[in-house]
Amino acid sequence: MLRNVFVTFGTTSASLKRYVRHTRLPLTLLSPLRTFTDLKDDTTTFDSSLLDFLVCPLSKKTLRFDEKTNELINDELGIAYPITDGIPNMIPQEARLLEKTSPAQGHNLPS
């Protein structure tokens, strides 16, 4: 059966060749084409209006967007979800733990 498929495909494609015109595109038409690799990180920014709908998948609490680190922050749990190419990665295993600083840390206490 597979042999019949290949034979039919071969005869059909051979008969179509006489009806198809092969033309070459000039290189000037190909140069302005863009690919996915042409996109830069600065062109895709996070849409902050999504914060109305997005919640932390673990605690179901609202998130805060941090522009410096380009992450969604859950202050309650102390985790940050990365945003890659404008798309938030809400997988808990991919989240980063934030360092918690106590109020006494950073201040010199008298001894």
Side-chain angles (χ1 to χ4, degrees):
M1 181 174 150
L2 188 60
R3 184 175 184 220
N4 292 341
V5 170
F6 284 123
V7 169
T8 304
F9 178 73
T11 57
T12 305
S13 62
S15 64
L16 288 177
K17 284 184 181 178
R18 62 182 155 195
Y19 297 110
V20 177
R21 272 186 16 189
H22 296 283
T23 59
R24 290 185 175 215
L25 291 175
L27 292 178
T28 56
L29 291 178
L30 297 177
S31 59
L33 296 177
R34 294 189 65 189
T35 63
F36 288 114
T37 57
D38 291 341
L39 296 176
K40 305 241 183 318
D41 287 340
D42 57 353
T43 60
T44 54
T45 58
F46 177 69
D47 185 10
S48 60
S49 67
L50 290 175
L51 290 175
D52 296 336
F53 304 105
L54 292 177
V55 294
C56 177
L58 298 175
S59 67
K60 308 299 187 245
K61 301 289 182 180
T62 59
L63 298 167
R64 174 178 57 88
F65 176 59
D66 187 10
E67 290 184 26
K68 290 189 298 184
T69 60
N70 199 28
E71 293 175 327
L72 294 177
I73 309 292
N74 182 338
D75 292 319
E76 181 179 297
L77 295 179
I79 56 177
Y81 296 100
I83 299 174
T84 308
D85 296 330
I87 302 169
N89 184 351
M90 303 294 287
I91 301 172
Q93 291 83 2
E94 300 291 326
R96 178 177 67 88
L97 288 176
L98 298 175
E99 295 178 11
K100 292 187 178 184
T101 57
S102 64
Q105 190 176 9
H107 297 288
N108 293 332
L109 296 176
S111 49

